[in-house]
Amino acid sequence: MDEHICGGNTVHQDIVDRVSASMPDGTALNNAAELLKVFGDPTRLGIIAALCRSEMCVCDIARLLGMTQSAISHQLRVLKQARLVTTRREGKTIFYSLCDEHVERIFDCALDHAAERTC
């Protein structure tokens, strides 16, 4: 028997109504889905992991991750457009850091969940 099939056709309307009242709207869900897509790239996650520990410039991130500056710059642009990283200029050098603690919390939750062996 398929565990995903409901026993009969009974709708538990009280549950449906309660959950419906607190569901995010379609726009909020679409925005969250777009944000999570940005987290769906291993290179961007590596950058976020690095920036959880310290602000860094493109050269440092490229060296750390063993990639070209161009590739890192491209991914930083995506992260900046998604409002996940911010910049600070010091002379000719631009340093990148996470926008806020939410970014690190999302990243840490993803790592914790990925490490779990059970549901």
Side-chain angles (χ1 to χ4, degrees):
M1 181 181 238
D2 189 345
E3 66 182 76
H4 300 290
I5 296 177
C6 197
N9 289 323
T10 304
V11 173
H12 302 91
Q13 195 61 46
D14 56 330
I15 295 172
V16 172
D17 291 343
R18 182 173 34 87
V19 172
S20 177
S22 65
M23 286 289 288
D25 66 20
T27 300
L29 291 174
N30 283 332
N31 290 342
E34 289 302 314
L35 173 69
L36 291 174
K37 284 180 190 177
V38 174
F39 277 90
D41 179 87
T43 299
R44 290 192 289 266
L45 287 180
I47 293 169
I48 290 170
L51 297 179
C52 283
R53 287 150 182 84
S54 177
E55 72 173 2
M56 299 177 79
C57 70
V58 173
C59 300
D60 295 340
I61 298 169
R63 172 67 58 93
L64 177 69
L65 299 181
M67 298 179 70
T68 65
Q69 291 181 33
S70 175
I72 296 300
S73 290
H74 171 73
Q75 298 302 339
L76 284 166
R77 196 171 315 112
V78 173
L79 291 168
K80 190 168 182 179
Q81 288 172 344
R83 297 175 304 135
L84 298 176
V85 300
T86 188
T87 59
R88 175 183 70 82
R89 180 179 290 277
E90 190 175 297
K92 293 182 179 181
T93 304
I94 297 175
F95 288 94
Y96 291 84
S97 61
L98 299 179
C99 272
D100 58 38
E101 70 281 350
H102 294 112
V103 180
E104 188 168 356
R105 281 200 315 238
I106 293 167
F107 176 72
D108 287 342
C109 285
L111 284 180
D112 289 346
H113 187 75
E116 290 179 1
R117 297 280 182 218
T118 61
C119 186

